[in-house]
């Protein structure tokens, strides 16, 4: 049976040399990245299981400048159309679909050829595929691609990791296709193994935190300050001119200017018609799971994930509001906050900035911890550089984060970089004010609150963890360290606590009248009829100073109390 004929290429592709690179998976991201590569002057072959996707990609290539794109409906023809060493980029759904696509293409790949997975894949899946590919001499990269549809078409941030030779084969292509900043193209070889996918995962975790914090800022401005959508749009547009300049702040300003297209110009803002129920694809959850496994505190990112989970409980939240209202919970704000709008806007700006620093600090610390565990040798300054353009979390202050890690690659935390430390101290008053007013008003700000708690915990030189460790030692003999001497210690807490209580009773009796002696003697005979009345040799000197009747009272109380405890 003959293979289907290849789809007609775009006109310019007919005169192009054999492509060095191909792309399989032509959903929107795949189409846009293929067209981006072609537009930069690199011929590219494309393939999709569904022929219609191939045809639509070719139509776009023709319409957008007769770009050098060759379409194929057959996996064999697709692979063999490439010049060796071949590079095949996959942009299909993470998980089994990647394995299925590799199985369809790999029979036609030769040793030295490379596969590049550009999806949001779990890093250990990438490491498994690296080993499987290596057994056949095939090179493999797991490459994070950030920037959404627009970034894929016009220049994304690219985070390739895996086989360095596979990266070197297409470095020139990736550098041209990536977003461009004054510091160069937003692509670098991240590291071996699954480093590229892991870095993209943490990028997405930071993105979760960023979006949650922006949403909280909007909520406080709207509910505390009573700002209208147009006023909020103006606020975010103004913020985007300063220290908060970023892609997410920019698009937030745009969102508040969009009217509901289904209702016309009089139908109100579209954002107000959107159900308050957030979706997710899993990378945020992976980030929080990895933070827990590596013992890295990431409370802002975790709070953003919890926020999405709770948003999904829409029906439960509505029911809970009704029940609590019936029990006397006020509707709306719990307390009216009287504050000038300009003052509120400025304080929320400072709170948002400070919280963002904490979110990025948590993500960077997670990357460093994983790098140490895996031996990836991640360059945090370089990662900050490639995030300055193209990606969803691109922001002005990433340049300053890069400089912080350039100054000190071993920086323990962004919070203690001198520049960031100074800013955090200057802004912490406004930050605390916003969180406190939100609590008083009954407005949920889990991201800002978590960030502030992270800041306060990290800067505290004495935490109540001493009590927790004592509890652990009591019920689990987990031992503890002391602040005044080296080594590990274990204490019989319950025994000492019981003895301490009994001595307290003894001292209380000693200080009282000895007229109860007879009653104690009777109790002694009741409990210990065959035991001679003696006092314990370890009674302290304070007790032994008293007359024998009182000592008997003390000892009786000791033994009676001990008997009750043992029973």
């Amino acid at each position: 049976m003959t293979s289907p004929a290849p789809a007609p290429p775009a006109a310019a592709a007919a005169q192009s040399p054999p492509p060095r690179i191909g792309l399989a998976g032509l959903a929107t991201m795949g189409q846009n990245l293929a067209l981006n590569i072609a537009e930069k002057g690199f011929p590219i072959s494309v393939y999709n299981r569904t022929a219609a996707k191939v045809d639509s990609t070719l139509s776009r290539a023709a319409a957008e400048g007769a770009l050098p794109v060759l379409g194929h409906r057959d996996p064999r023809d697709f692979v063999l159309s490439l010049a060796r060493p071949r590079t095949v980029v996959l942009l299909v759904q993470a998980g089994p679909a990647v394995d299925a696509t590799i199985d369809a293409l790999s029979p036609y790949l030769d040793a030295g050829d490379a596969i590049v997975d550009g999806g949001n894949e779990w890093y250990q899946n990438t490491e498994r595929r690296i080993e499987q590919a290596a057994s056949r001499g095939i090179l493999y990269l797991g490459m994070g691609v950030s920037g959404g549809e627009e970034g894929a078409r016009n220049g994304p941030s690219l985070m390739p990791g895996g086989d360095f030779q596979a990266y070197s084969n297409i470095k020139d292509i990736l550098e041209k296709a990536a977003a461009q900043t004054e510091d160069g193209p937003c692509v670098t070889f991240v590291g071996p193994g699954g480093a590229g996918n892991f870095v993209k995962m943490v990028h997405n975790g930071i993105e979760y935190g960023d979006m949650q914090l922006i949403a909280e800022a909007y909520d406080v401005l709207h509910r505390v300050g009573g700002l209208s959508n147009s006023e909020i749009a103006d606020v975010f547009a103004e913020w985007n001119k300063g220290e908060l300049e970023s892609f997410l702040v920019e698009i937030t300003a745009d969102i508040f200017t969009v009217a509901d297209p289904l209702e016309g110009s009089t139908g109100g803002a579209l954002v107000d018609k959107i159900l308050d129920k957030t979706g997710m694809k899993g990378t945020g959850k992976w980030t929080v799971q990895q933070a827990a496994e590596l013992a890295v505190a990431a409370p802002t990112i975790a709070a953003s994930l919890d926020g999405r989970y709770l948003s999904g409980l829409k029906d439960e939240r509505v029911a809970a509001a009704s029940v609590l209202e019936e029990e006397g919970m006020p509707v709306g704000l719990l307390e009216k906050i009287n504050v000038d709008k300009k003052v509120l806007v400025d304080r929320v700006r400072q709170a948002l900035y400070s919280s963002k620093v904490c979110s990025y600090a948590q993500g960077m610390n997670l990357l460093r911890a994983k790098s140490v565990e895996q031996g990836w040798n991640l360059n945090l300054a370089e990662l900050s550089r490639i995030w300055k353009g193209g990606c969803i979390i691109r922001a002005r202050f990433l340049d300053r984060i890069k400089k912080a890690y350039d100054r000190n690659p071993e920086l323990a935390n962004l919070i203690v970089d001198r520049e960031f430390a100074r800013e955090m101290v200057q802004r912490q008053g406004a930050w605390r004010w916003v969180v406190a007013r939100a609590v008083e008003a009954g407005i949920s700000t889990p991201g800002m609150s978590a960030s502030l708690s992270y800041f306060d915990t990290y800067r505290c030189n004495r935490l109540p963890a001493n009590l927790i460790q004592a509890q652990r030692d009591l019920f689990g003999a987990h031992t503890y360290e002391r602040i005044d001497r080296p080594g590990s210690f274990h204490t019989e807490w319950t025994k000492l606590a019981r003895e301490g209580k009994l001595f307290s009773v003894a001292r209380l009796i000693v200080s009282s009248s000895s007229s109860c002696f007879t009653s104690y003697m009777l109790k002694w005979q009741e409990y210990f009829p065959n035991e001679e009345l003696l006092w314990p040799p370890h009674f302290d000197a304070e007790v032994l100073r008293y007359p024998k009747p009182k000592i008997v009272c003390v000892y009786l109380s000791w033994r009676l109390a001990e008997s009750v405890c043992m029973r």
Side-chain angles (χ1 to χ4, degrees), residues 31-269:
Q31 283 192 20
N32 283 356
L33 185 58
L35 296 173
N36 175 9
I37 291 171
E39 190 173 58
K40 299 305 189 296
F42 300 98
I44 185 169
S45 288
V46 295
Y47 163 74
N48 198 82
R49 283 190 310 113
T50 307
K53 293 287 187 182
V54 178
D55 295 338
S56 66
T57 304
L58 295 177
S59 296
R60 287 186 61 189
E64 295 178 25
L67 302 177
V69 179
L70 290 83
H72 296 272
R73 300 188 182 93
D74 177 73
R76 178 180 180 278
D77 290 343
F78 165 64
V79 172
L80 297 183
S81 72
L82 303 176
R84 297 188 61 188
R86 308 177 182 97
T87 296
V88 176
V89 179
L90 310 182
L91 271 171
V92 299
Q93 186 175 4
V98 176
D99 292 312
T101 306
I102 291 173
D103 289 343
L105 301 177
S106 58
Y108 313 110
L109 294 170
D110 296 311
D113 293 344
I115 297 172
V116 181
D117 176 17
N120 282 329
E121 186 57 89
W122 175 237
Y123 84 99
Q124 289 181 334
N125 284 342
T126 295
E127 294 187 335
R128 168 177 58 81
R129 292 171 186 142
I130 288 173
E131 292 182 4
Q132 292 171 343
S135 67
R136 300 186 57 243
I138 296 172
L139 313 180
Y140 198 97
L141 283 177
M143 182 172 70
V145 180
S146 179
E149 299 174 12
E150 180 183 344
R153 181 64 183 86
N154 300 311
S157 176
L158 300 173
M159 296 154 257
D163 191 292
F164 184 75
Q165 185 58 51
Y167 170 71
S168 298
N169 290 348
I170 56 170
K171 179 181 177 183
D172 58 331
I173 298 176
L174 297 181
E175 288 184 341
K176 290 290 186 181
Q180 307 294 313
T181 70
E182 69 279 6
D183 282 340
C186 294
V187 60
T188 191
F189 180 73
V190 171
N197 291 121
F198 193 90
V199 168
K200 176 54 163 60
M201 177 199 76
V202 175
H203 163 286
N204 285 16
I206 295 172
E207 177 186 312
Y208 271 52
D210 230 347
M211 296 172 73
Q212 176 67 31
L213 294 170
I214 289 172
E216 291 173 17
Y218 146 63
D219 204 24
V220 171
L221 292 175
H222 176 60
R223 297 175 65 190
V224 172
L227 274 70
S228 65
N229 286 333
S230 62
E231 289 176 313
I232 293 173
D234 292 340
V235 166
F236 277 93
E238 185 64 28
W239 285 353
N240 198 48
K241 298 175 184 177
E243 64 188 7
L244 288 172
E245 179 186 343
S246 64
F247 172 73
L248 287 171
V249 168
E250 176 187 356
I251 66 170
T252 300
D254 291 340
I255 285 170
F256 283 103
T257 66
V258 176
D260 182 358
L262 300 181
E263 299 290 340
S265 58
T266 61

Side-chain angles (χ1 to χ4, degrees), residues 309-361:
Y309 290 153
L310 285 167
S311 77
L313 304 177
K314 176 66 174 181
D315 293 341
E316 289 186 32
R317 289 188 286 114
V318 171
S322 176
V323 170
L324 294 172
E325 181 183 348
E326 292 173 0
E327 296 300 325
M329 192 76 181
V331 178
L333 298 182
L334 300 183
E335 184 174 320
K336 175 70 174 176
I337 308 297
N338 294 314
V339 60
D340 179 79
K341 283 186 179 181
K342 290 184 178 179
V343 172
L344 176 66
V345 168
D346 184 63
R347 289 176 177 174
V348 172
R349 173 187 61 80
Q350 296 182 64
L352 176 57
Y353 180 84
S354 301
S355 299
K356 280 167 64 74
V357 172
C358 289
S359 183
Y360 279 73

